[in-house]
Amino acid sequence: MIAKLVPMSSALACLLLLGACPSEPPTPSDDDDATDAPDDDDSADDDDVADDDDSATHPDDDDATDDDDFTDVEFLCPDGETVDPLDLSDGTEFVRTTFALAQMRYLGEILRFGLASAEPNCPTWAGDHPASPGTTVWSGGCTTDGGGVGYEGELTQVRTSAEGSSTTVSTAKAWSSAGAGDYDSLAFSGTWTASEGDGGIWRDDTSAGELQLVGVPNSTIDAAMPQGVVGSYDWTGDWTAPPSEVHTFDFAGTVRCRGPVLASLTLGESGNCFGSNPDSGTAVIEAFGDVATIDFSDDDSCSGCWPWSLNGEVQDDVVCSFDR
């Protein structure tokens, strides 16, 4: 469940613990109870007053809109950007978010944070050779000659190996690339740890920070999260029982401009369905108090459309992948 924890103000502590308050109490840090007096400093909702301050991320914003559920869409938005908040009651919105979160793994696994489009002299690197164990520091501030891909920021990668497995820890400082044929732009600030073994049979990824991937052809990322995601993003892939592939994803963070999200996905692909549609597993996503669920095993001959539930109630329509 998504919740906001509001610290006890000094004024409220005075009332509860001392039985009296100074004649001029400190300015309240949270005034959000519509049923009590303004400026009562509690954790309920009071956004019917002009000086309402009920946002953990936007203190003292003095607006009359409720910030506690982030429906004012200013949460982590760049200045001037507006995107509708996530609405899981819309089946299309739900399934787009499901597959967009799953596709974010491409940033590290396939696109390699943009290094898949690198040329020998751009971005530049220092330290150990990128193909060997050790530490490599990549630096942007350049554009490739052949592909016209621009790089900015810094990316440090530390690679270790053991018998049958290897681990790479990538730490990014405002790292980005733009103009590649596989995407319009990607950005990463934070840490991403990837371990794999048995010749690539299995791979585990864990990331924390800010991810952004925009303009991926034939993907749902742009529609669902055009500003990227913020928070931890964990991914594991299991290829131990070919031909089936099982991918599990967990996300706890924020889709920029669209609000906080909790997600737990298991996508099973037997290889029997066209377009790699999952035919087993589940998706559970929570946003703004709504919980939406898909059971991918409940499919009609790999149609790519599935029944779904909202807050425990089966919906009349079906949700389909890739806007079917």
Side-chain angles (χ1 to χ4, degrees):
M1 178 177 292
I2 299 168
K4 187 186 81 170
L5 300 180
V6 180
M8 181 182 295
S9 70
S10 59
L12 181 58
C14 174
L15 286 171
L16 293 179
L17 301 179
L18 303 179
C21 288
S23 58
E24 295 183 3
T27 301
S29 60
D30 197 341
D31 163 28
D32 54 8
D33 187 345
T35 60
D36 294 329
D39 305 328
D40 54 7
D41 289 344
D42 64 9
S43 60
D45 182 20
D46 177 17
D47 28 337
D48 59 348
V49 291
D51 59 352
D52 181 28
D53 170 26
D54 56 2
S55 167
T57 56
H58 299 280
D60 304 321
D61 56 0
D62 292 341
D63 63 21
T65 305
D66 180 12
D67 295 325
D68 286 339
D69 62 359
F70 308 112
T71 53
D72 57 0
V73 303
E74 66 185 11
F75 185 65
L76 293 178
C77 264
D79 290 341
E81 294 287 345
T82 57
V83 183
D84 289 337
L86 284 171
D87 180 9
L88 297 183
S89 66
D90 181 334
T92 299
E93 187 88 52
F94 168 38
V95 77
R96 280 179 176 173
T97 302
T98 297
F99 286 103
L101 284 173
Q103 288 170 334
M104 289 299 292
R105 78 182 191 273
Y106 295 158
L107 189 148
E109 179 199 8
I110 297 174
L111 302 178
R112 297 188 293 120
F113 312 110
L115 295 178
S117 301
E119 293 182 357
N121 297 320
C122 182
T124 59
W125 60 271
D128 296 306
H129 192 280
S132 64
T135 300
T136 305
V137 179
W138 299 88
S139 298
C142 64
T143 301
T144 61
D145 294 330
V149 181
Y151 293 88
E152 298 293 339
E154 182 178 285
L155 178 68
T156 300
Q157 295 187 312
V158 179
R159 298 172 301 280
T160 58
S161 60
E163 185 176 356
S165 66
S166 63
T167 297
T168 300
V169 179
S170 301
T171 303
K173 297 179 180 179
W175 175 259
S176 65
S177 72
D182 293 330
Y183 56 89
D184 291 338
S185 65
L186 64 79
F188 174 43
S189 292
T191 300
W192 186 304
T193 301
S195 299
E196 59 185 354
D198 298 330
I201 294 297
W202 61 268
R203 177 179 168 115
D204 295 328
D205 292 62
T206 301
S207 67
E210 182 172 338
L211 315 175
Q212 188 179 56
L213 186 56
V214 178
V216 180
N218 302 316
S219 83
T220 57
I221 293 176
D222 280 348
M225 47 189 67
Q227 293 292 342
V229 298
V230 179
S232 62
Y233 182 82
D234 302 336
W235 167 60
T236 62
D238 182 0
W239 289 269
T240 58
S244 296
E245 295 182 3
V246 178
H247 313 269
T248 62
F249 313 87
D250 291 292
F251 175 74
T254 300
V255 176
R256 288 182 65 97
C257 304
R258 310 213 62 195
V261 175
L262 297 176
S264 180
L265 315 178
T266 299
L267 308 181
E269 301 174 10
S270 66
N272 297 324
C273 296
F274 175 77
S276 299
N277 275 322
D279 52 11
S280 65
T282 59
V284 181
I285 294 182
E286 179 178 350
F288 299 112
D290 287 328
V291 179
T293 305
I294 301 175
D295 182 352
F296 290 111
S297 62
D298 193 358
D299 187 16
D300 181 14
S301 301
C302 298
S303 67
C305 297
W306 307 272
W308 66 293
S309 299
L310 180 67
N311 300 324
E313 296 185 6
V314 178
Q315 302 300 291
D316 294 335
D317 58 344
V318 297
V319 291
C320 301
S321 64
F322 309 112
D323 295 325
R324 292 192 180 188

